[in-house]
Amino acid sequence: MLEVGVRGAANLVPMKIAADGASGSTDAYVVLKYGPKWARTRTILDQFNPRWNEQYAWDVFDPCTVLTVAVFDNVRYKQQSAAGDMNNNNKDSRIGKLRIRLSTLDVNRVYASSFALTAVHPVGVRKMGELELAIRFTCPSWLTLMQAYGSPLLPRMHYVRPLGPAQQDVLRHTAMRIVSARLARSEPPLGPEVVQYLLDTDTHAFSMRRSKANWFRVVGCLSHVAAAVKWAHRVRTWAHPPTTVLVHALLLAVVLCPEMILPTACLYLFLVLLWRYRARPRGPAGMDPRLSHVDSVGPDELDEEFDGVPSARPADVVRARYDRLRAVAARGQTLLGDVAAQGERLEALLSWRDPRATMLFAAACLAAALVLYAVPFQVLLLAMGFYYLRHPRFRGDMPSAGFNFFRRLPSLSDRVL
């Protein structure tokens, strides 16, 4: 069960400019989305510190899913009050959004936190205020919770006959239109701009800012490899003599007793995970402007990000080439994000960002250490080789539990604006 309490907001910026030149007003409301479930709070008029105090609860179908919360300024209400009917030409303004992955939450713990609302506009990035939420994730059965980490993310047909990128794009836009049409008939209605913002339909369009963010995510993962190379160079040059002497002793132990390599490495990982348990994240994290590189882009790049497809450039030839370049760059941007997510999932095993997944990995390291200590290394190596080269008739068409476990690990893609 996921319970979310929308307490209120603080220090919201004016979204409407008054006719007499006053400070303006903000008519804020909150939209929550978890899986197929959508919820909307009431609109509080002319308040920069609104208090909703509304609570929602949903059944959790997967502990590795994401809750999306967004704050909007109600423009249609003013239009309806002034004109007497609904004016669809004006869209509700975005104030901010955040995502919270359930796997990063401890079970049966109440998180009462304030999250910064940051939005990217054509003129730059702005801090729009803060949103106060109370969140609790409960699960009565730990066994069911742990089994979910090894189950496939998608049904069997998605692995036997996977969909191509073009089919995924068509299905994504079709689903967005269907959801928009359904929520437009709700009371109060939600406009298509709200659905597009929460479903992140613009993340597959080219953006220099997102490309930079994904690139530096990849660089951040590769920096650990560079740090290991530098450490080896320092050991080789005797920069720290005690460390070099210890590496010599370890080298002798590995050469004389090769069967101790794997169990010692698993035991070392287990001890490192126990040591890092104290520095684990204490609460859910909101959006990260620094990770999104919202401060490193110029006005021209922001104008390119908010330029629609097809482009609004006057020359037809330039427009065609520009749109083609953006389409190719969008594919590269998605590829960079996928590569970065794989490295970040490896880091999540050691960072306790998902405490249950790291607990399972720590237990597996301990069990592997005990097994590898007890069973001869040559027997294990032969068994692993035979298992890897087994006949296709002895293999299933579904991914293994280890692969499913790795795919469910959290990445930093949830925190990129």
Side-chain angles (χ1 to χ4, degrees):
M1 179 72 69
L2 173 63
E3 299 172 88
V4 182
V6 183
R7 305 173 66 182
N11 303 321
L12 297 181
V13 300
M15 300 298 295
K16 303 182 183 71
I17 304 301
D20 56 355
S23 60
S25 63
T26 298
D27 308 323
Y29 67 92
V30 181
V31 179
L32 303 94
K33 177 188 176 299
Y34 176 68
K37 304 296 183 180
W38 293 70
R40 169 184 169 162
T41 65
R42 67 188 186 276
T43 301
I44 299 183
L45 303 178
D46 299 334
Q47 289 289 334
F48 298 132
N49 299 282
R51 307 299 299 179
W52 290 281
N53 294 320
E54 299 185 15
Q55 184 172 351
Y56 304 92
W58 298 286
D59 291 332
V60 174
F61 58 91
D62 193 316
C64 300
T65 46
V66 176
L67 168 70
T68 306
V69 185
V71 185
F72 293 87
D73 175 58
N74 198 328
V75 179
R76 288 185 171 86
Y77 177 81
K78 292 293 184 181
Q79 295 291 334
Q80 184 178 8
S81 300
D85 57 352
M86 184 67 71
N87 188 348
N88 292 325
N89 294 327
N90 291 314
K91 301 178 180 180
D92 290 347
S93 303
R94 305 172 178 179
I95 297 180
K97 176 176 61 176
L98 62 97
R99 308 183 194 95
I100 299 175
R101 183 171 287 269
L102 271 61
S103 60
T104 61
L105 304 177
D106 291 333
V107 178
N108 300 326
R109 177 181 173 184
V110 178
Y111 294 91
S113 306
S114 294
F115 300 90
L117 297 174
T118 306
V120 181
H121 299 279
V123 296
V125 61
R126 297 176 60 189
K127 183 178 180 180
M128 311 296 290
E130 297 180 351
L131 179 64
E132 301 178 17
L133 297 177
I135 306 171
R136 181 171 65 178
F137 171 49
T138 58
C139 182
S141 174
W142 272 82
L143 180 60
T144 304
L145 187 62
M146 296 304 177
Q147 287 177 346
Y149 281 89
S151 59
L153 288 170
L154 300 173
R156 177 181 179 183
M157 186 56 63
H158 288 271
Y159 299 101
V160 178
R161 299 179 63 88
L163 299 175
Q167 294 174 307
Q168 294 181 20
D169 291 338
V170 172
L171 289 178
R172 185 182 299 109
H173 288 88
T174 304
M176 188 271 294
R177 290 194 297 268
I178 294 175
V179 174
S180 298
R182 177 175 63 86
L183 295 179
R185 298 190 298 267
S186 61
E187 185 59 36
L190 291 178
E193 71 278 3
V194 176
V195 179
Q196 294 174 8
Y197 189 48
L198 269 77
L199 293 182
D200 297 323
T201 56
D202 57 344
T203 57
H204 296 274
F206 176 73
S207 167
M208 184 62 69
R209 178 183 58 83
R210 292 195 186 96
S211 298
K212 287 183 178 179
N214 291 336
W215 171 257
F216 284 104
R217 287 167 59 195
V218 174
V219 172
C221 294
L222 296 179
S223 63
H224 298 284
V225 179
V229 173
K230 292 181 180 179
W231 177 84
H233 179 71
R234 289 196 302 266
V235 170
R236 181 173 176 267
T237 56
W238 289 78
H240 190 246
T243 303
T244 306
V245 173
L246 182 62
V247 170
H248 277 80
L250 182 61
L251 180 61
L252 289 174
V254 168
V255 171
L256 297 179
C257 303
E259 68 275 5
M260 303 293 291
I261 298 176
L262 291 180
T264 304
C266 292
L267 183 60
Y268 175 76
L269 281 177
F270 175 75
L271 296 176
V272 168
L273 291 173
L274 287 183
W275 178 260
R276 292 192 177 185
Y277 180 77
R278 301 181 304 171
R280 70 190 186 280
R282 301 292 180 175
M287 306 303 250
D288 192 345
R290 182 179 178 183
L291 180 66
S292 307
H293 284 267
V294 293
D295 297 328
S296 62
V297 292
D300 182 67
E301 294 176 348
L302 286 175
D303 178 73
E304 181 183 15
E305 179 176 348
F306 284 89
D307 186 20
V309 177
S311 174
R313 298 295 184 271
D316 295 337
V317 176
V318 175
R319 179 182 303 171
R321 293 178 179 177
Y322 184 58
D323 293 341
R324 182 172 63 248
L325 177 61
R326 294 179 68 178
V328 174
R331 300 287 177 158
Q333 167 190 316
T334 304
L335 177 62
L336 284 175
D338 294 338
V339 173
Q342 308 310 315
E344 289 163 356
R345 288 190 176 103
L346 288 175
E347 293 182 357
L349 284 174
L350 308 177
S351 63
W352 288 94
R353 185 166 179 237
D354 184 348
R356 287 168 291 276
T358 308
M359 186 184 304
L360 287 175
F361 182 67
C365 290
L366 180 60
L370 297 177
V371 171
L372 293 171
Y373 274 120
V375 181
F377 179 75
Q378 292 82 357
V379 176
L380 283 174
L381 186 60
L382 188 62
M384 292 170 59
F386 277 33
Y387 179 79
Y388 181 76
L389 299 174
R390 67 191 184 280
H391 195 271
R393 72 174 58 183
F394 300 108
R395 304 181 186 183
D397 49 10
M398 296 295 289
S400 62
F403 180 80
N404 297 325
F405 175 81
F406 181 79
R407 288 290 303 272
R408 290 176 179 275
L409 292 173
S411 66
L412 296 180
S413 58
D414 307 328
R415 302 175 60 185
V416 176
L417 287 172

